[in-house]
Amino acid sequence: MTRTYSFLSKASTRGLAGNGAGRKAGMVVLGTVGLAMAGCADQSGPGAATGPQAPKAATSHKIGVLLPLTGPNAALGHELLAGAQLALAENGTSTAPGQASALQMDVHDTAAVGGASAAATAAAEAGDGIILGPLTAVDTAAAAPAAQSASMPVLAFTSDVGQARNGVWVMGITPEDQVERLVATARQEGRHRFAAFLPDNPLGHALGNGLLASCRDQGLMSPTIVYHTGSQASITQMMRELSSYDTRRAEAQPDGNASAPASTPAAPATGSADTTDKTLPSDLAAALKGGSDTSATASADGAAQTPAVPKLAPPPFDALLLGDTGLGLKNVIGALADSQVSSANVRIMGPGLWAAFATKLGALKGAWYAAPDPSSRQSFASRFMARNHHMPRPLADLSYDAAKVATTVARVAPNGYPADVLTRSEGFAGVDGPFTLLPDGRTRRALGVFEVLDNGGGAKLRVPATTKSAVSG
């Protein structure tokens, strides 16, 4: 399916049909768009190499858009299309000298027969000069060969940094980008010994890879990284190993050895209260709070149990990256308390996903996460609402940004979308703040560092997003 739009100076302001996309406006994407969408079914098949139309595509200013407009992701696809349409309506009426005064948008359905590969081939044959999309990492991998053969840059909406390469940019806020910002800020605070305790899943490994790269790039010693399997017993035991709990406890004994047996996780009670741990609690705040109490207790008959563990020395790291959410995070918080790893001597850090429930993270007071400043998108949200009659979902930010890149480059480049203009050092002005396209396909975004408050206070902006005075477009 292909549709072509021409945005003139008095472009139509039609909104989306209905408000289906708005029903899930709470969807959070910070740093995990591509990871969340990578599991979508691969509806693409092998595409044929592009034909003689490739040179035409390389010099055109026509904008190809690859999105799922039918099938299970249709509502999300139309939401992203609306974001791109808004950018062209606002900015797409002026091009480089000697070019037509309006930019055309050529839309292809990645859920149609042939999938993303066929859609990219069709865009090349139509003479498009750049591709906005596709949505997922799987579709990006399928579309890239045809796009690269036609010299069409790709601004993909995934956050999977594994798709980044020369000519293919990952527009999402990647976990790696978040970690880079956290490590740089922690280093400025004087932290030099980093570790990570992460779930053994795609997000966890993306965070771990980001920590390895950030420590290497910033001249820090290689971090210690542990991936847990998710069970409470695994989390408790592996946290003890990471934090050198037994060694620290032995050193805390008067005679220098662990004469007293190390405490072990208590067996769950058999009453009804145990059932709340089997599924994600409805009140995450209560669950998180419940996992942080390690004080000595008494048995049912009043007899004292094992004495409280003495205060231990700090663990062998001064910054710890976590990656869990929900019930997994509750268990990790319990393990932190059990191993005496606290914000008193360790800077706890986590993924931008924490922004969605920061008011329920009081047990992690002082912890950091990196994310865009929410105030940055207020103007965009108002304009999107006026045009489409509902608040934009977060992914619409990416499609607007991608279309803004295309319109900005088209105003200054006489032919096509040259890589040296796309990767200009001054970057571009985005919905969530300035960003820069790097030559290797990554996107560097300005992220703020937020600090979790206690008592349901949410989080405060601890370090503002880095800004560049030269950002334009």
mmCIF file of all heavy atoms in Angstrom, residues 428-461:
data_model
loop_
_atom_site.group_PDB
_atom_site.id
_atom_site.type_symbol
_atom_site.label_atom_id
_atom_site.label_comp_id
_atom_site.label_asym_id
_atom_site.label_seq_id
_atom_site.Cartn_x
_atom_site.Cartn_y
_atom_site.Cartn_z
ATOM 1 N N PHE A 428 20.096 18.938 15.600
ATOM 2 C CA PHE A 428 18.735 19.351 15.260
ATOM 3 C C PHE A 428 17.938 19.605 16.540
ATOM 4 O O PHE A 428 18.241 19.049 17.594
ATOM 5 C CB PHE A 428 18.038 18.261 14.436
ATOM 6 C CG PHE A 428 18.749 17.937 13.150
ATOM 7 C CD1 PHE A 428 19.735 16.956 13.122
ATOM 8 C CD2 PHE A 428 18.451 18.616 11.975
ATOM 9 C CE1 PHE A 428 20.413 16.651 11.947
ATOM 10 C CE2 PHE A 428 19.125 18.324 10.797
ATOM 11 C CZ PHE A 428 20.106 17.337 10.775
ATOM 12 N N ALA A 429 16.924 20.426 16.435
ATOM 13 C CA ALA A 429 16.041 20.703 17.563
ATOM 14 C C ALA A 429 14.917 19.675 17.562
ATOM 15 O O ALA A 429 14.132 19.613 16.624
ATOM 16 C CB ALA A 429 15.476 22.117 17.460
ATOM 17 N N GLY A 430 14.835 18.852 18.600
ATOM 18 C CA GLY A 430 13.834 17.796 18.677
ATOM 19 C C GLY A 430 12.735 18.097 19.669
ATOM 20 O O GLY A 430 12.812 19.040 20.458
ATOM 21 N N VAL A 431 11.715 17.264 19.646
ATOM 22 C CA VAL A 431 10.588 17.417 20.567
ATOM 23 C C VAL A 431 11.059 17.361 22.016
ATOM 24 O O VAL A 431 10.627 18.141 22.862
ATOM 25 C CB VAL A 431 9.548 16.302 20.306
ATOM 26 C CG1 VAL A 431 8.499 16.274 21.412
ATOM 27 C CG2 VAL A 431 8.880 16.515 18.955
ATOM 28 N N ASP A 432 11.965 16.427 22.322
ATOM 29 C CA ASP A 432 12.432 16.233 23.694
ATOM 30 C C ASP A 432 13.777 16.885 23.960
ATOM 31 O O ASP A 432 14.432 16.581 24.950
ATOM 32 C CB ASP A 432 12.521 14.734 23.995
ATOM 33 C CG ASP A 432 11.173 14.051 23.898
ATOM 34 O OD1 ASP A 432 10.241 14.504 24.581
ATOM 35 O OD2 ASP A 432 11.042 13.083 23.132
ATOM 36 N N GLY A 433 14.199 17.776 23.083
ATOM 37 C CA GLY A 433 15.476 18.437 23.253
ATOM 38 C C GLY A 433 16.372 18.213 22.051
ATOM 39 O O GLY A 433 16.035 17.464 21.125
ATOM 40 N N PRO A 434 17.532 18.851 22.019
ATOM 41 C CA PRO A 434 18.426 18.735 20.865
ATOM 42 C C PRO A 434 18.991 17.326 20.724
ATOM 43 O O PRO A 434 19.144 16.593 21.702
ATOM 44 C CB PRO A 434 19.535 19.744 21.179
ATOM 45 C CG PRO A 434 19.505 19.916 22.659
ATOM 46 C CD PRO A 434 18.073 19.757 23.063
ATOM 47 N N PHE A 435 19.303 16.965 19.480
ATOM 48 C CA PHE A 435 19.917 15.657 19.224
ATOM 49 C C PHE A 435 20.827 15.777 18.013
ATOM 50 O O PHE A 435 20.686 16.675 17.182
ATOM 51 C CB PHE A 435 18.864 14.572 19.008
ATOM 52 C CG PHE A 435 17.994 14.759 17.791
ATOM 53 C CD1 PHE A 435 18.316 14.159 16.579
ATOM 54 C CD2 PHE A 435 16.846 15.542 17.859
ATOM 55 C CE1 PHE A 435 17.512 14.339 15.453
ATOM 56 C CE2 PHE A 435 16.036 15.717 16.739
ATOM 57 C CZ PHE A 435 16.369 15.123 15.525
ATOM 58 N N THR A 436 21.764 14.840 17.916
ATOM 59 C CA THR A 436 22.739 14.822 16.837
ATOM 60 C C THR A 436 22.814 13.419 16.255
ATOM 61 O O THR A 436 22.833 12.429 17.004
ATOM 62 C CB THR A 436 24.139 15.227 17.346
ATOM 63 O OG1 THR A 436 24.057 16.511 17.969
ATOM 64 C CG2 THR A 436 25.132 15.291 16.208
ATOM 65 N N LEU A 437 22.827 13.314 14.930
ATOM 66 C CA LEU A 437 23.017 12.034 14.253
ATOM 67 C C LEU A 437 24.517 11.799 14.087
ATOM 68 O O LEU A 437 25.212 12.626 13.505
ATOM 69 C CB LEU A 437 22.328 12.040 12.888
ATOM 70 C CG LEU A 437 20.818 12.349 12.878
ATOM 71 C CD1 LEU A 437 20.276 12.291 11.453
ATOM 72 C CD2 LEU A 437 20.057 11.387 13.776
ATOM 73 N N LEU A 438 24.996 10.686 14.598
ATOM 74 C CA LEU A 438 26.416 10.370 14.521
ATOM 75 C C LEU A 438 26.714 9.549 13.268
ATOM 76 O O LEU A 438 25.848 8.830 12.759
ATOM 77 C CB LEU A 438 26.856 9.596 15.765
ATOM 78 C CG LEU A 438 26.570 10.288 17.112
ATOM 79 C CD1 LEU A 438 27.058 9.423 18.264
ATOM 80 C CD2 LEU A 438 27.209 11.665 17.163
ATOM 81 N N PRO A 439 27.924 9.613 12.746
ATOM 82 C CA PRO A 439 28.246 8.901 11.502
ATOM 83 C C PRO A 439 28.031 7.395 11.566
ATOM 84 O O PRO A 439 27.795 6.763 10.536
ATOM 85 C CB PRO A 439 29.724 9.242 11.277
ATOM 86 C CG PRO A 439 29.917 10.552 11.970
ATOM 87 C CD PRO A 439 29.030 10.485 13.178
ATOM 88 N N ASP A 440 28.105 6.802 12.751
ATOM 89 C CA ASP A 440 27.972 5.348 12.862
ATOM 90 C C ASP A 440 26.524 4.886 13.004
ATOM 91 O O ASP A 440 26.264 3.705 13.243
ATOM 92 C CB ASP A 440 28.796 4.827 14.035
ATOM 93 C CG ASP A 440 28.344 5.377 15.387
ATOM 94 O OD1 ASP A 440 27.361 6.157 15.426
ATOM 95 O OD2 ASP A 440 28.981 5.046 16.405
ATOM 96 N N GLY A 441 25.564 5.790 12.882
ATOM 97 C CA GLY A 441 24.162 5.423 12.947
ATOM 98 C C GLY A 441 23.499 5.619 14.300
ATOM 99 O O GLY A 441 22.290 5.448 14.426
ATOM 100 N N ARG A 442 24.266 5.981 15.296
ATOM 101 C CA ARG A 442 23.656 6.267 16.597
ATOM 102 C C ARG A 442 23.119 7.693 16.630
ATOM 103 O O ARG A 442 23.523 8.534 15.819
ATOM 104 C CB ARG A 442 24.677 6.074 17.721
ATOM 105 C CG ARG A 442 25.120 4.636 17.943
ATOM 106 C CD ARG A 442 26.172 4.562 19.036
ATOM 107 N NE ARG A 442 27.364 5.313 18.668
ATOM 108 C CZ ARG A 442 28.205 5.858 19.547
ATOM 109 N NH1 ARG A 442 27.972 5.752 20.846
ATOM 110 N NH2 ARG A 442 29.284 6.516 19.132
ATOM 111 N N THR A 443 22.214 7.949 17.557
ATOM 112 C CA THR A 443 21.676 9.294 17.759
ATOM 113 C C THR A 443 22.000 9.728 19.170
ATOM 114 O O THR A 443 21.651 9.042 20.139
ATOM 115 C CB THR A 443 20.151 9.317 17.547
ATOM 116 O OG1 THR A 443 19.849 8.908 16.209
ATOM 117 C CG2 THR A 443 19.592 10.708 17.780
ATOM 118 N N ARG A 444 22.694 10.819 19.304
ATOM 119 C CA ARG A 444 23.043 11.341 20.624
ATOM 120 C C ARG A 444 22.010 12.378 21.031
ATOM 121 O O ARG A 444 21.860 13.407 20.388
ATOM 122 C CB ARG A 444 24.440 11.965 20.604
ATOM 123 C CG ARG A 444 24.885 12.536 21.933
ATOM 124 C CD ARG A 444 25.098 11.437 22.966
ATOM 125 N NE ARG A 444 26.256 10.629 22.659
ATOM 126 C CZ ARG A 444 26.314 9.325 22.827
ATOM 127 N NH1 ARG A 444 25.261 8.673 23.290
ATOM 128 N NH2 ARG A 444 27.414 8.645 22.546
ATOM 129 N N ARG A 445 21.268 12.073 22.090
ATOM 130 C CA ARG A 445 20.203 12.965 22.564
ATOM 131 C C ARG A 445 20.586 13.618 23.880
ATOM 132 O O ARG A 445 21.332 13.045 24.684
ATOM 133 C CB ARG A 445 18.892 12.190 22.728
ATOM 134 C CG ARG A 445 18.294 11.758 21.398
ATOM 135 C CD ARG A 445 16.934 11.094 21.586
ATOM 136 N NE ARG A 445 16.321 10.760 20.302
ATOM 137 C CZ ARG A 445 15.559 11.571 19.595
ATOM 138 N NH1 ARG A 445 15.301 12.788 20.061
ATOM 139 N NH2 ARG A 445 15.044 11.184 18.448
ATOM 140 N N ALA A 446 20.070 14.805 24.091
ATOM 141 C CA ALA A 446 20.307 15.528 25.338
ATOM 142 C C ALA A 446 19.372 14.974 26.406
ATOM 143 O O ALA A 446 18.165 15.131 26.325
ATOM 144 C CB ALA A 446 20.057 17.024 25.142
ATOM 145 N N LEU A 447 19.935 14.302 27.389
ATOM 146 C CA LEU A 447 19.149 13.690 28.452
ATOM 147 C C LEU A 447 19.480 14.348 29.786
ATOM 148 O O LEU A 447 20.643 14.639 30.072
ATOM 149 C CB LEU A 447 19.437 12.187 28.543
ATOM 150 C CG LEU A 447 19.162 11.358 27.287
ATOM 151 C CD1 LEU A 447 19.567 9.907 27.519
ATOM 152 C CD2 LEU A 447 17.696 11.451 26.895
ATOM 153 N N GLY A 448 18.464 14.566 30.584
ATOM 154 C CA GLY A 448 18.681 15.041 31.934
ATOM 155 C C GLY A 448 18.865 13.867 32.879
ATOM 156 O O GLY A 448 18.508 12.736 32.563
ATOM 157 N N VAL A 449 19.424 14.123 34.047
ATOM 158 C CA VAL A 449 19.558 13.104 35.084
ATOM 159 C C VAL A 449 18.586 13.449 36.204
ATOM 160 O O VAL A 449 18.638 14.557 36.763
ATOM 161 C CB VAL A 449 21.000 13.027 35.617
ATOM 162 C CG1 VAL A 449 21.091 12.049 36.782
ATOM 163 C CG2 VAL A 449 21.952 12.604 34.493
ATOM 164 N N PHE A 450 17.718 12.501 36.522
ATOM 165 C CA PHE A 450 16.690 12.706 37.542
ATOM 166 C C PHE A 450 17.038 11.903 38.793
ATOM 167 O O PHE A 450 17.573 10.795 38.709
ATOM 168 C CB PHE A 450 15.321 12.271 37.003
ATOM 169 C CG PHE A 450 14.797 13.155 35.907
ATOM 170 C CD1 PHE A 450 15.246 13.009 34.600
ATOM 171 C CD2 PHE A 450 13.860 14.137 36.182
ATOM 172 C CE1 PHE A 450 14.777 13.823 33.579
ATOM 173 C CE2 PHE A 450 13.376 14.967 35.171
ATOM 174 C CZ PHE A 450 13.839 14.805 33.871
ATOM 175 N N GLU A 451 16.718 12.461 39.954
ATOM 176 C CA GLU A 451 16.990 11.807 41.233
ATOM 177 C C GLU A 451 15.681 11.485 41.940
ATOM 178 O O GLU A 451 14.812 12.356 42.088
ATOM 179 C CB GLU A 451 17.862 12.693 42.117
ATOM 180 C CG GLU A 451 18.248 12.052 43.442
ATOM 181 C CD GLU A 451 19.269 12.870 44.207
ATOM 182 O OE1 GLU A 451 20.260 13.319 43.580
ATOM 183 O OE2 GLU A 451 19.077 13.062 45.430
ATOM 184 N N VAL A 452 15.534 10.243 42.371
ATOM 185 C CA VAL A 452 14.320 9.774 43.019
ATOM 186 C C VAL A 452 14.197 10.377 44.414
ATOM 187 O O VAL A 452 15.170 10.418 45.185
ATOM 188 C CB VAL A 452 14.320 8.235 43.111
ATOM 189 C CG1 VAL A 452 13.113 7.743 43.906
ATOM 190 C CG2 VAL A 452 14.327 7.619 41.716
ATOM 191 N N LEU A 453 13.000 10.858 44.728
ATOM 192 C CA LEU A 453 12.696 11.414 46.049
ATOM 193 C C LEU A 453 11.961 10.378 46.889
ATOM 194 O O LEU A 453 11.417 9.406 46.365
ATOM 195 C CB LEU A 453 11.843 12.674 45.904
ATOM 196 C CG LEU A 453 12.414 13.770 44.996
ATOM 197 C CD1 LEU A 453 11.397 14.903 44.855
ATOM 198 C CD2 LEU A 453 13.738 14.294 45.548
ATOM 199 N N ASP A 454 11.917 10.594 48.200
ATOM 200 C CA ASP A 454 11.206 9.648 49.064
ATOM 201 C C ASP A 454 9.760 10.070 49.265
ATOM 202 O O ASP A 454 9.310 11.117 48.774
ATOM 203 C CB ASP A 454 11.923 9.504 50.409
ATOM 204 C CG ASP A 454 12.017 10.821 51.168
ATOM 205 O OD1 ASP A 454 11.544 11.852 50.638
ATOM 206 O OD2 ASP A 454 12.567 10.824 52.285
ATOM 207 N N ASN A 455 9.007 9.233 49.950
ATOM 208 C CA ASN A 455 7.624 9.526 50.323
ATOM 209 C C ASN A 455 6.727 9.855 49.132
ATOM 210 O O ASN A 455 5.868 10.739 49.212
ATOM 211 C CB ASN A 455 7.580 10.676 51.343
ATOM 212 C CG ASN A 455 8.313 10.339 52.638
ATOM 213 O OD1 ASN A 455 8.248 9.199 53.107
ATOM 214 N ND2 ASN A 455 9.016 11.306 53.195
ATOM 215 N N GLY A 456 6.925 9.170 48.022
ATOM 216 C CA GLY A 456 6.057 9.373 46.868
ATOM 217 C C GLY A 456 6.253 10.686 46.157
ATOM 218 O O GLY A 456 5.374 11.136 45.416
ATOM 219 N N GLY A 457 7.390 11.313 46.379
ATOM 220 C CA GLY A 457 7.639 12.624 45.781
ATOM 221 C C GLY A 457 8.046 12.594 44.327
ATOM 222 O O GLY A 457 8.259 13.644 43.727
ATOM 223 N N GLY A 458 8.183 11.387 43.749
ATOM 224 C CA GLY A 458 8.571 11.302 42.345
ATOM 225 C C GLY A 458 10.065 11.498 42.181
ATOM 226 O O GLY A 458 10.870 10.895 42.901
ATOM 227 N N ALA A 459 10.447 12.329 41.252
ATOM 228 C CA ALA A 459 11.864 12.575 40.991
ATOM 229 C C ALA A 459 12.058 14.037 40.626
ATOM 230 O O ALA A 459 11.169 14.671 40.073
ATOM 231 C CB ALA A 459 12.370 11.672 39.861
ATOM 232 N N LYS A 460 13.241 14.536 40.943
ATOM 233 C CA LYS A 460 13.581 15.911 40.590
ATOM 234 C C LYS A 460 14.705 15.891 39.556
ATOM 235 O O LYS A 460 15.511 14.952 39.500
ATOM 236 C CB LYS A 460 14.024 16.694 41.824
ATOM 237 C CG LYS A 460 15.320 16.204 42.440
ATOM 238 C CD LYS A 460 15.735 17.052 43.639
ATOM 239 C CE LYS A 460 17.041 16.533 44.255
ATOM 240 N NZ LYS A 460 17.450 17.350 45.430
ATOM 241 N N LEU A 461 14.742 16.919 38.741
ATOM 242 C CA LEU A 461 15.800 17.042 37.751
ATOM 243 C C LEU A 461 17.084 17.441 38.462
ATOM 244 O O LEU A 461 17.232 18.567 38.916
ATOM 245 C CB LEU A 461 15.414 18.077 36.694
ATOM 246 C CG LEU A 461 16.398 18.265 35.525
ATOM 247 C CD1 LEU A 461 16.553 16.972 34.747
ATOM 248 C CD2 LEU A 461 15.920 19.391 34.616
#
